[in-house]
Amino acid sequence: LQKESDMERQHSEIHDLLDALDLLQYHDAFRREGFERLESIVDIQESDFEAMGVKRGHRRLIHRRAMELVNPTRFSRDLPPISSPLLTAHLMRTFKLLL
C-alpha cells in the first residue's frame, strides 16, 4: 500500500512539472516510458526525449525545470547567466577591489 502511495506522489510530481510548463501533452509518454520520478528526468538523454516525441525547445524547458526542482541551490534562478553583462560587471568590480 505504501508503494502505491509513493507511485501516486511520483506521478503527481511529473504531472505537476509538466502542468506548470503547460506541457501536459507529454505526460502519458513519460509514464509509458518509465520516467516516473523527477530524478529520472534529470538523467534523461536526448534520445529519450526524441523517442517520446518531445519537441527540442520543450526538452530544454522540462530538463531545466526538473534540475531546479531536484537541486534548487545548484540551479538558482537568482544567479545571472555566465555570459551575463551583469555578472561581468560584478566580477570586474570585485577584482578591482582586490587589486
Side-chain angles (χ1 to χ4, degrees):
L1 196 64
Q2 178 63 28
K3 283 192 174 213
E4 187 174 314
S5 175
D6 288 344
M7 291 298 284
E8 287 175 9
R9 179 186 56 78
Q10 292 162 357
H11 289 300
S12 177
E13 288 176 349
I14 300 302
H15 181 277
D16 291 348
L17 169 91
L18 294 171
D19 188 32
L21 296 171
D22 197 26
L23 297 173
L24 276 176
Q25 68 265 30
Y26 300 118
H27 186 247
D28 289 340
F30 274 87
R31 289 185 63 187
R32 186 173 46 252
E33 294 297 324
F35 292 99
E36 300 167 345
R37 305 183 69 195
L38 286 176
E39 290 83 6
S40 66
I41 295 178
V42 169
D43 295 327
I44 200 168
Q45 302 294 313
E46 283 291 316
S47 59
D48 299 319
F49 279 125
E50 288 173 15
M52 291 186 290
V54 179
K55 293 180 181 179
R56 226 177 259 145
H58 294 167
R59 295 174 198 173
R60 283 150 185 69
L61 292 172
I62 293 166
H63 192 250
R64 183 178 304 124
R65 186 66 184 133
M67 298 286 278
E68 290 169 350
L69 290 170
V70 169
N71 194 349
T73 56
R74 183 169 177 209
F75 299 95
S76 173
R77 291 177 178 223
D78 297 334
L79 297 175
I82 290 174
S83 63
S84 165
L86 293 174
L87 178 60
T88 302
H90 170 74
L91 292 173
M92 288 177 71
R93 282 192 308 274
T94 302
F95 286 115
K96 281 183 183 177
L97 292 175
L98 294 175
L99 296 176

